[in-house]
Amino acid sequence: MIGQLLRDGEAGDGTVREELAYLLRLSRPRFWLYLAGPVLVGVAYAASAPGELVTPVTFGLFAYFLVPANVFLYGINDVYDREIDAENPKKGSREARYRGQRYVPLAVGLCAAAGVFLLAVLPSIAWPWLLAFLVLGAAYSAPPARFKTTPVLDSVSNGLYVVPGAAAYAAVAGTQPPALAVVGGWLWAMGMHTFSAIPDVEPDREAGIRTTATVLGERRTIAYCGACWLASAAAFAGVDYRLGGVMLAYPALVAAIAASSVAIERAYWWFPAINTAVGAALTVGGLWRVVHG
């Protein structure tokens, strides 16, 4: 059914079904687990008993970060990148191209409001993380901050992708997550974001947009991503050497890509599956601890 909705969404504006399908496509279903996955990881490592894994709070966090948060995050991005995306080959093929549909900003606002409403059911210890997501999610694309057009800040601000996991951990455990885990996750997100910007280097340069990737160029950006991922693995190893071992998959992979003839534009689309596999490994490790003590 989702596949059919995505095909309907290619038409864009029209019936309510087509509008909902367009919003679904705009939310980048391939990347849904980039936000929802960290919730699962955070819950798995925060829970001390099986009964803490599935609760109204954990379900609400996962549901919000699976779809509404993605509509919010990518909707803002597409609204403010309309002119830039007109020349981006990814738009109209693998991703939706925003054409000024008035219901899109409304949907973005409703999804942001849903995030604020979620504060009412979350323990107060998790509030700063959810608020950080909403603020960074808007500031990344929207003026006056528009972090995505400022080299280094565009990368650093994308730590927002690990914030859902931190919120989930705090909500379940009643304490803040380990600082090294947050640092490791933040560095992972920095590398992932900057790697994903490599296919956009030429369109961004033509549009006059400066990013970490446009400033560094492809080869140095690959090195930057490798450094972020190596530092991420080291930070996670400070929490548990097994976590660090799993995260070494990223610097190893980017080194293999750099040494091969594989185009970045092709390798970029491997990462949803790679991230899902790594996230599943981390989650299973956390669940094993809960079940077997």
Side-chain angles (χ1 to χ4, degrees), residues 90-143:
K90 286 194 307 187
K91 301 297 180 178
S93 56
R94 290 182 180 267
E95 297 177 2
R97 176 172 280 116
Y98 175 64
R99 296 184 174 86
Q101 301 96 316
R102 286 182 289 181
Y103 63 84
V104 171
L106 175 61
V108 168
L110 289 174
C111 289
V116 174
F117 174 77
L118 192 58
L119 292 172
V121 300
L122 285 182
S124 59
I125 194 171
W127 289 0
W129 297 110
L130 184 55
L131 291 172
F133 170 77
L134 294 172
V135 171
L136 288 174
Y140 175 73
S141 298

Side-chain angles (χ1 to χ4, degrees), residues 23 26-27 35 64-65 67-79 104-105 107-115 130-141 160:
L23 289 173
L26 172 146
S27 71
L35 290 177
Y64 177 71
F65 282 107
V67 181
N70 281 291
V71 173
F72 163 72
L73 185 64
Y74 293 117
I76 293 177
N77 179 81
D78 288 0
V79 167
V104 171
V108 168
L110 289 174
C111 289
L130 184 55
L131 291 172
F133 170 77
L134 294 172
V135 171
L136 288 174
Y140 175 73
S141 298
L160 66 89

Side-chain angles (χ1 to χ4, degrees), residues 126-212:
W127 289 0
W129 297 110
L130 184 55
L131 291 172
F133 170 77
L134 294 172
V135 171
L136 288 174
Y140 175 73
S141 298
R146 198 157 161 76
F147 292 143
K148 70 178 299 175
T149 63
T150 305
V152 181
L153 278 181
D154 62 331
S155 179
V156 172
S157 64
N158 265 259
L160 66 89
Y161 281 93
V162 302
V163 166
Y169 186 100
V172 174
T175 60
Q176 296 297 348
L180 279 176
V182 175
V183 170
W186 208 284
L187 287 164
W188 168 82
M190 288 170 58
M192 190 68 251
H193 165 266
T194 309
F195 188 88
S196 72
I198 297 175
D200 296 331
V201 166
E202 291 309 317
D204 284 346
R205 283 175 173 170
E206 291 173 7
I209 300 298
R210 296 181 76 248
T211 67
T212 300

Side-chain angles (χ1 to χ4, degrees), residues 28-57:
R28 321 284 206 272
R30 287 183 181 87
F31 304 145
W32 280 356
L33 287 179
Y34 283 15
L35 290 177
V39 173
L40 298 179
V41 176
V43 170
Y45 284 92
S48 58
E52 296 179 349
L53 295 171
V54 182
T55 67
V57 168

